[in-house]
Amino acid sequence: MNNTALFLRLRKGLFISALALTALTGCQSGKWGFPYIAPVQQGNWITEENVALLQKGMTPDQVRYALGSPTLTDIFRPDRWDYPYYYQPGYGEPVSRNFSVWFVNGVLDRWEGDQQPNFQPYEQKAAARTLESTASTAEAAASQVETAPLE
């Protein structure tokens, strides 16, 4: 076999190998052909359990123990602490929640905010499955209810 034919065969093999390697690197993200987009989580994760610990008259140290350090404290209103939370999954809709506490004369006076979850971040997938199964059960029960016309 002459050197030219060997060189062409080797070059063709290298080209096919490089093409296959390039095609397979796109498969590693789980969504073929799309790049991996990292999820972004910012703020404090507060649960219903944390909010249930709050009581009027608590000191700032007690509130900090129950909810964690506030993400935002306004220099013009030091008696208000804000706990925002934002989560942007790689693919999907973002989740945003806010929670605020107010102090009067150095003690907790009131708190308000969005509905907080009753699970921890690592339990999100299990909680989503539970919500989906509950919703499908409720839909099935509603479809079985018979209604009679009013006479």
Side-chain angles (χ1 to χ4, degrees), residues 27-44:
C27 297
Q28 74 182 22
S29 70
K31 292 190 177 262
W32 194 86
F34 296 99
Y36 173 74
I37 298 176
V40 176
Q41 179 176 336
Q42 297 175 327
N44 295 59

PDB file of all heavy atoms in Angstrom, residues 27-44:
ATOM      1  N   CYS A  27     -24.653  15.783  23.913  1.00  0.00           N
ATOM      2  CA  CYS A  27     -25.580  14.897  24.616  1.00  0.00           C
ATOM      3  C   CYS A  27     -25.415  14.920  26.125  1.00  0.00           C
ATOM      4  O   CYS A  27     -26.225  14.371  26.841  1.00  0.00           O
ATOM      5  CB  CYS A  27     -25.394  13.453  24.133  1.00  0.00           C
ATOM      6  SG  CYS A  27     -25.785  13.223  22.402  1.00  0.00           S
ATOM      7  N   GLN A  28     -24.382  15.529  26.641  1.00  0.00           N
ATOM      8  CA  GLN A  28     -24.110  15.442  28.067  1.00  0.00           C
ATOM      9  C   GLN A  28     -25.032  16.300  28.912  1.00  0.00           C
ATOM     10  O   GLN A  28     -25.127  16.101  30.113  1.00  0.00           O
ATOM     11  CB  GLN A  28     -22.667  15.816  28.357  1.00  0.00           C
ATOM     12  CG  GLN A  28     -22.384  17.295  28.250  1.00  0.00           C
ATOM     13  CD  GLN A  28     -20.920  17.598  28.495  1.00  0.00           C
ATOM     14  OE1 GLN A  28     -20.075  16.744  28.343  1.00  0.00           O
ATOM     15  NE2 GLN A  28     -20.626  18.807  28.875  1.00  0.00           N
ATOM     16  N   SER A  29     -25.754  17.263  28.371  1.00  0.00           N
ATOM     17  CA  SER A  29     -26.560  18.169  29.184  1.00  0.00           C
ATOM     18  C   SER A  29     -27.924  17.607  29.554  1.00  0.00           C
ATOM     19  O   SER A  29     -28.607  18.183  30.375  1.00  0.00           O
ATOM     20  CB  SER A  29     -26.752  19.499  28.454  1.00  0.00           C
ATOM     21  OG  SER A  29     -27.591  19.318  27.343  1.00  0.00           O
ATOM     22  N   GLY A  30     -28.359  16.504  28.995  1.00  0.00           N
ATOM     23  CA  GLY A  30     -29.681  15.976  29.292  1.00  0.00           C
ATOM     24  C   GLY A  30     -30.720  16.472  28.302  1.00  0.00           C
ATOM     25  O   GLY A  30     -31.724  15.841  28.084  1.00  0.00           O
ATOM     26  N   LYS A  31     -30.524  17.611  27.734  1.00  0.00           N
ATOM     27  CA  LYS A  31     -31.386  18.126  26.668  1.00  0.00           C
ATOM     28  C   LYS A  31     -30.499  18.179  25.430  1.00  0.00           C
ATOM     29  O   LYS A  31     -29.678  19.066  25.300  1.00  0.00           O
ATOM     30  CB  LYS A  31     -31.927  19.505  27.022  1.00  0.00           C
ATOM     31  CG  LYS A  31     -32.909  19.472  28.164  1.00  0.00           C
ATOM     32  CD  LYS A  31     -33.577  20.814  28.283  1.00  0.00           C
ATOM     33  CE  LYS A  31     -34.606  20.795  29.354  1.00  0.00           C
ATOM     34  NZ  LYS A  31     -35.931  20.605  28.909  1.00  0.00           N
ATOM     35  N   TRP A  32     -30.666  17.228  24.565  1.00  0.00           N
ATOM     36  CA  TRP A  32     -29.761  17.080  23.445  1.00  0.00           C
ATOM     37  C   TRP A  32     -29.721  18.336  22.591  1.00  0.00           C
ATOM     38  O   TRP A  32     -30.747  18.868  22.195  1.00  0.00           O
ATOM     39  CB  TRP A  32     -30.177  15.894  22.584  1.00  0.00           C
ATOM     40  CG  TRP A  32     -29.086  15.531  21.649  1.00  0.00           C
ATOM     41  CD1 TRP A  32     -28.050  14.718  21.912  1.00  0.00           C
ATOM     42  CD2 TRP A  32     -28.913  15.990  20.317  1.00  0.00           C
ATOM     43  NE1 TRP A  32     -27.234  14.622  20.834  1.00  0.00           N
ATOM     44  CE2 TRP A  32     -27.737  15.407  19.831  1.00  0.00           C
ATOM     45  CE3 TRP A  32     -29.609  16.854  19.492  1.00  0.00           C
ATOM     46  CZ2 TRP A  32     -27.254  15.650  18.565  1.00  0.00           C
ATOM     47  CZ3 TRP A  32     -29.123  17.088  18.219  1.00  0.00           C
ATOM     48  CH2 TRP A  32     -27.962  16.486  17.770  1.00  0.00           C
ATOM     49  N   GLY A  33     -28.533  18.797  22.346  1.00  0.00           N
ATOM     50  CA  GLY A  33     -28.333  19.949  21.477  1.00  0.00           C
ATOM     51  C   GLY A  33     -28.419  21.277  22.196  1.00  0.00           C
ATOM     52  O   GLY A  33     -28.159  22.310  21.606  1.00  0.00           O
ATOM     53  N   PHE A  34     -28.757  21.292  23.484  1.00  0.00           N
ATOM     54  CA  PHE A  34     -28.858  22.547  24.211  1.00  0.00           C
ATOM     55  C   PHE A  34     -27.788  22.584  25.293  1.00  0.00           C
ATOM     56  O   PHE A  34     -27.502  21.568  25.914  1.00  0.00           O
ATOM     57  CB  PHE A  34     -30.237  22.694  24.863  1.00  0.00           C
ATOM     58  CG  PHE A  34     -31.343  22.774  23.860  1.00  0.00           C
ATOM     59  CD1 PHE A  34     -32.107  21.665  23.559  1.00  0.00           C
ATOM     60  CD2 PHE A  34     -31.605  23.954  23.196  1.00  0.00           C
ATOM     61  CE1 PHE A  34     -33.115  21.729  22.627  1.00  0.00           C
ATOM     62  CE2 PHE A  34     -32.610  24.025  22.260  1.00  0.00           C
ATOM     63  CZ  PHE A  34     -33.373  22.913  21.972  1.00  0.00           C
ATOM     64  N   PRO A  35     -27.225  23.742  25.563  1.00  0.00           N
ATOM     65  CA  PRO A  35     -26.199  23.817  26.609  1.00  0.00           C
ATOM     66  C   PRO A  35     -26.822  23.747  27.999  1.00  0.00           C
ATOM     67  O   PRO A  35     -28.006  24.019  28.176  1.00  0.00           O
ATOM     68  CB  PRO A  35     -25.564  25.188  26.379  1.00  0.00           C
ATOM     69  CG  PRO A  35     -26.645  25.994  25.746  1.00  0.00           C
ATOM     70  CD  PRO A  35     -27.434  25.019  24.908  1.00  0.00           C
ATOM     71  N   TYR A  36     -26.021  23.374  28.963  1.00  0.00           N
ATOM     72  CA  TYR A  36     -26.466  23.318  30.352  1.00  0.00           C
ATOM     73  C   TYR A  36     -26.600  24.745  30.874  1.00  0.00           C
ATOM     74  O   TYR A  36     -25.716  25.569  30.694  1.00  0.00           O
ATOM     75  CB  TYR A  36     -25.456  22.547  31.197  1.00  0.00           C
ATOM     76  CG  TYR A  36     -25.766  22.594  32.662  1.00  0.00           C
ATOM     77  CD1 TYR A  36     -26.803  21.848  33.178  1.00  0.00           C
ATOM     78  CD2 TYR A  36     -25.031  23.383  33.528  1.00  0.00           C
ATOM     79  CE1 TYR A  36     -27.109  21.872  34.522  1.00  0.00           C
ATOM     80  CE2 TYR A  36     -25.322  23.425  34.872  1.00  0.00           C
ATOM     81  CZ  TYR A  36     -26.356  22.669  35.366  1.00  0.00           C
ATOM     82  OH  TYR A  36     -26.662  22.708  36.695  1.00  0.00           O
ATOM     83  N   ILE A  37     -27.722  25.043  31.521  1.00  0.00           N
ATOM     84  CA  ILE A  37     -27.927  26.345  32.137  1.00  0.00           C
ATOM     85  C   ILE A  37     -28.073  26.109  33.630  1.00  0.00           C
ATOM     86  O   ILE A  37     -28.993  25.430  34.072  1.00  0.00           O
ATOM     87  CB  ILE A  37     -29.170  27.056  31.580  1.00  0.00           C
ATOM     88  CG1 ILE A  37     -28.997  27.296  30.083  1.00  0.00           C
ATOM     89  CG2 ILE A  37     -29.402  28.368  32.305  1.00  0.00           C
ATOM     90  CD1 ILE A  37     -30.206  27.900  29.421  1.00  0.00           C
ATOM     91  N   ALA A  38     -27.155  26.656  34.400  1.00  0.00           N
ATOM     92  CA  ALA A  38     -27.137  26.424  35.844  1.00  0.00           C
ATOM     93  C   ALA A  38     -28.291  27.160  36.524  1.00  0.00           C
ATOM     94  O   ALA A  38     -28.604  28.288  36.172  1.00  0.00           O
ATOM     95  CB  ALA A  38     -25.820  26.901  36.432  1.00  0.00           C
ATOM     96  N   PRO A  39     -28.936  26.520  37.510  1.00  0.00           N
ATOM     97  CA  PRO A  39     -29.975  27.208  38.271  1.00  0.00           C
ATOM     98  C   PRO A  39     -29.353  28.270  39.191  1.00  0.00           C
ATOM     99  O   PRO A  39     -28.227  28.108  39.653  1.00  0.00           O
ATOM    100  CB  PRO A  39     -30.634  26.095  39.078  1.00  0.00           C
ATOM    101  CG  PRO A  39     -29.655  24.989  39.114  1.00  0.00           C
ATOM    102  CD  PRO A  39     -28.792  25.129  37.904  1.00  0.00           C
ATOM    103  N   VAL A  40     -30.110  29.344  39.448  1.00  0.00           N
ATOM    104  CA  VAL A  40     -29.634  30.433  40.299  1.00  0.00           C
ATOM    105  C   VAL A  40     -30.578  30.548  41.485  1.00  0.00           C
ATOM    106  O   VAL A  40     -31.783  30.705  41.318  1.00  0.00           O
ATOM    107  CB  VAL A  40     -29.612  31.769  39.514  1.00  0.00           C
ATOM    108  CG1 VAL A  40     -29.207  32.912  40.416  1.00  0.00           C
ATOM    109  CG2 VAL A  40     -28.686  31.670  38.322  1.00  0.00           C
ATOM    110  N   GLN A  41     -30.016  30.467  42.688  1.00  0.00           N
ATOM    111  CA  GLN A  41     -30.804  30.601  43.910  1.00  0.00           C
ATOM    112  C   GLN A  41     -30.203  31.728  44.730  1.00  0.00           C
ATOM    113  O   GLN A  41     -29.015  31.727  45.015  1.00  0.00           O
ATOM    114  CB  GLN A  41     -30.775  29.290  44.695  1.00  0.00           C
ATOM    115  CG  GLN A  41     -31.554  29.358  45.985  1.00  0.00           C
ATOM    116  CD  GLN A  41     -31.598  28.013  46.691  1.00  0.00           C
ATOM    117  OE1 GLN A  41     -31.456  26.976  46.075  1.00  0.00           O
ATOM    118  NE2 GLN A  41     -31.789  28.052  47.974  1.00  0.00           N
ATOM    119  N   GLN A  42     -31.047  32.702  45.127  1.00  0.00           N
ATOM    120  CA  GLN A  42     -30.581  33.840  45.903  1.00  0.00           C
ATOM    121  C   GLN A  42     -31.565  34.128  47.019  1.00  0.00           C
ATOM    122  O   GLN A  42     -32.769  33.991  46.847  1.00  0.00           O
ATOM    123  CB  GLN A  42     -30.460  35.083  45.020  1.00  0.00           C
ATOM    124  CG  GLN A  42     -29.431  34.934  43.925  1.00  0.00           C
ATOM    125  CD  GLN A  42     -29.412  36.129  43.000  1.00  0.00           C
ATOM    126  OE1 GLN A  42     -30.431  36.748  42.762  1.00  0.00           O
ATOM    127  NE2 GLN A  42     -28.258  36.466  42.490  1.00  0.00           N
ATOM    128  N   GLY A  43     -31.052  34.546  48.159  1.00  0.00           N
ATOM    129  CA  GLY A  43     -31.910  34.953  49.264  1.00  0.00           C
ATOM    130  C   GLY A  43     -32.037  33.886  50.327  1.00  0.00           C
ATOM    131  O   GLY A  43     -31.321  32.890  50.347  1.00  0.00           O
ATOM    132  N   ASN A  44     -32.974  34.120  51.235  1.00  0.00           N
ATOM    133  CA  ASN A  44     -33.200  33.229  52.369  1.00  0.00           C
ATOM    134  C   ASN A  44     -34.349  32.277  52.076  1.00  0.00           C
ATOM    135  O   ASN A  44     -35.407  32.706  51.630  1.00  0.00           O
ATOM    136  CB  ASN A  44     -33.565  34.041  53.613  1.00  0.00           C
ATOM    137  CG  ASN A  44     -32.442  34.927  54.074  1.00  0.00           C
ATOM    138  OD1 ASN A  44     -31.982  35.783  53.340  1.00  0.00           O
ATOM    139  ND2 ASN A  44     -31.997  34.731  55.292  1.00  0.00           N
TER     140      ASN A  44
END
